[in-house]
Amino acid sequence: LAKYRPARRLLDALDMLRQRALGWLDEMGALEGLVRLRAELPAGWLPILNYHRLHPDAEGQAFDRGVIDATPQEFERQMRLLTRHFTPIGVGRLADHVTAGVPLPDNPALVTFDDGYRECFTQALPILRALGVPASFFIPTRYIGERRVFWWDRLSYLVRWSPCDRIALSYPTSLELRLEGDRQKAIVRLLGLMKSTYDLDVDRFLSELAASANVRWDATLERRFADELCMSWDEIRALKRAGMEIHSHTRSHRILQNLRPPELRSEIAGSRDDLIRELGGPVRAIAYPVGRSVARHPEIARLVRASGYELGFTLGVRRFGPAPHPLDIGRIAPDRGMAPCLFRALLVHPALAV
Ligand SMILES: [Zn+2]
């Protein structure tokens, strides 16, 4: 529907109306009242927020802008609002509840971060500590240990810095792309190709892209970027010492449904081994790369369970009834620049804000 221009305009107009209506409700204090009311009622969903990066200047980034969910100031405001009405808990308490029936505190909520960006340590940790929020961090272990740049950031960098006005690729399929305007369209198209290709050789694809885009990319440069972008094991240990929880986000952040069985095992079981070796346990949960659910993939779900995980996290709204699917727990990612009224609405019910 959204592909047709009149329909797109209608959707945009409806969206603006909804935002205005929520703004008015918020000005009257009604949303704050609803959040308070929501705190008193047993809800059919559990607020689990999912962040990646906190950065003040998303538009100035050569790397992927899509993973910047908030500025540090926005994040702090959101955490203040959350702690005013909810009891933040870590993934461990949720696992105790889901697997052993241990009661949750009144009005629980979870804060999670995926990917292990450096701002988790430099920006999020001081805020979380000051407000007493035990957040849970999902780490793709190979990137931390080998100091590599995440594949989506590397792709964005190559497309944005290319001096060419078109790029041609032969792997995994032959493809020609014009690089127009802000190049976001080309980035989205290539990310889509990476996400949908079974058994993709990521390094081969990105090396060919660098050559075609005529952008320098080598091991020294990559290491320097990785040090800027992602946490070290020492920083992750410091998060843990500060009361945060560390769980798995696989090894290489490959989409599980696209992998052959031996790689699948390495990504799922191997990342848990890596975390236990580097940090000690417990590692009780996994967040699936790009939030892709494994609920309809019994062979992957079996492997997740057999590797010792009790919970699996996706993206999206899921009902949280008395017996939630332990390997299909939904999370909501707030948007960058989200109006405070929308964030409040999200806490009342995510369907109001997404
Ligand atoms: Zn991720």
Side-chain angles (χ1 to χ4, degrees):
L1 184 72
K3 276 190 187 151
Y4 302 99
R5 206 172 284 167
R8 179 74 257 168
R9 268 199 217 123
L10 180 67
L11 288 177
D12 285 348
L14 284 173
D15 193 47
M16 202 145 73
L17 265 179
R18 186 186 56 137
Q19 281 216 37
R20 267 205 205 139
L22 286 170
W24 286 327
L25 282 173
D26 204 32
E27 271 170 39
M28 294 187 294
L31 279 182
E32 185 81 12
L34 280 174
V35 178
R36 223 174 304 137
L37 185 67
R38 153 74 181 73
E40 303 298 322
L41 299 170
W45 79 285
L46 173 68
I48 307 181
L49 301 173
N50 180 226
Y51 297 90
H52 304 80
R53 294 191 69 180
L54 306 177
H55 201 282
D57 177 25
E59 300 315 310
Q61 280 291 307
F63 297 103
D64 188 8
R65 297 167 185 178
V67 284
I68 299 176
D69 308 294
T71 65
Q73 290 73 18
E74 280 169 343
F75 178 71
E76 182 168 8
R77 269 203 303 277
Q78 293 171 355
M79 290 301 103
R80 282 192 191 284
L81 187 69
L82 188 79
T83 48
R84 205 156 56 229
H85 298 286
F86 291 82
T87 311
I89 59 169
V91 159
R93 281 188 79 178
L94 184 62
D96 288 340
H97 173 72
V98 172
T99 60
V102 178
L104 289 173
D106 282 347
N107 210 25
L110 282 86
V111 177
T112 68
F113 275 85
D114 285 3
D115 303 341
Y117 281 103
R118 276 212 80 218
E119 292 110 58
C120 294
F121 178 73
T122 57
Q123 305 290 338
L125 181 62
I127 297 169
L128 295 166
R129 250 183 151 157
L131 296 172
V133 178
S136 304
F137 295 78
F138 293 93
I139 304 293
T141 57
R142 185 174 159 231
Y143 284 100
I144 307 299
E146 296 178 13
R147 310 312 290 157
R148 301 291 305 267
V149 169
F150 300 122
W151 50 259
W152 54 96
D153 281 324
R154 186 168 151 194
L155 184 149
S156 297
Y157 177 91
L158 296 174
V159 175
R160 277 201 201 285
W161 281 103
S162 174
C164 311
D165 51 17
R166 58 175 276 283
I167 44 177
L169 296 171
S170 66
Y171 176 81
T173 176
S174 123
L175 176 77
E176 209 179 293
L177 266 183
R178 288 167 58 86
L179 302 181
E180 299 165 299
D182 73 351
R183 303 189 168 191
Q184 189 59 26
K185 232 160 110 184
I187 291 171
V188 169
R189 170 111 189 259
L190 291 171
L191 285 175
L193 180 65
M194 289 191 76
K195 289 177 189 176
S196 61
T197 304
Y198 184 80
D199 200 21
L200 180 75
D201 181 337
V202 171
D203 273 322
R204 177 177 167 196
F205 173 73
L206 291 174
S207 300
E208 194 182 313
L209 178 63
S212 176
N214 197 17
V215 177
R216 182 187 147 218
W217 188 271
D218 58 41
T220 319
L221 195 65
E222 178 158 9
R223 202 192 159 93
R224 209 184 79 212
F225 287 151
D227 287 341
E228 276 170 33
L229 279 171
C230 73
M231 287 189 285
S232 65
W233 281 122
D234 278 343
E235 287 165 335
I236 296 171
R237 282 185 202 103
L239 286 183
K240 202 174 171 205
R241 276 198 305 276
M244 306 296 144
E245 291 189 22
I246 312 295
H247 299 279
S248 167
H249 198 31
T250 74
R251 271 184 164 152
S252 324
H253 207 287
R254 298 293 308 281
I255 291 166
L256 298 175
Q257 286 80 355
N258 289 344
L259 297 179
R260 291 182 304 112
E263 282 162 338
L264 200 54
R265 213 163 303 120
S266 159
E267 292 292 328
I268 295 173
S271 60
R272 190 166 177 272
D273 295 342
D274 294 343
L275 289 171
I276 291 173
R277 186 188 62 243
E278 293 292 337
L279 312 164
V283 178
R284 303 178 69 178
I286 184 166
Y288 312 117
V290 308
R292 197 164 290 177
S293 171
V294 304
R296 292 209 186 100
H297 298 265
E299 73 293 352
I300 303 180
R302 255 197 308 279
L303 195 54
V304 169
R305 222 172 268 122
S307 304
Y309 297 106
E310 297 162 67
L311 298 182
F313 289 85
T314 60
L315 280 176
V317 184
R318 300 282 188 284
R319 253 186 58 73
F320 193 81
H325 189 319
L327 299 186
D328 192 36
I329 309 254
R331 299 179 295 171
I332 298 294
D335 283 331
R336 176 167 84 234
M338 189 178 215
C341 68
L342 279 182
F343 186 77
R344 274 194 195 90
L346 181 154
L347 293 180
V348 176
H349 195 287
L352 290 172
V354 293

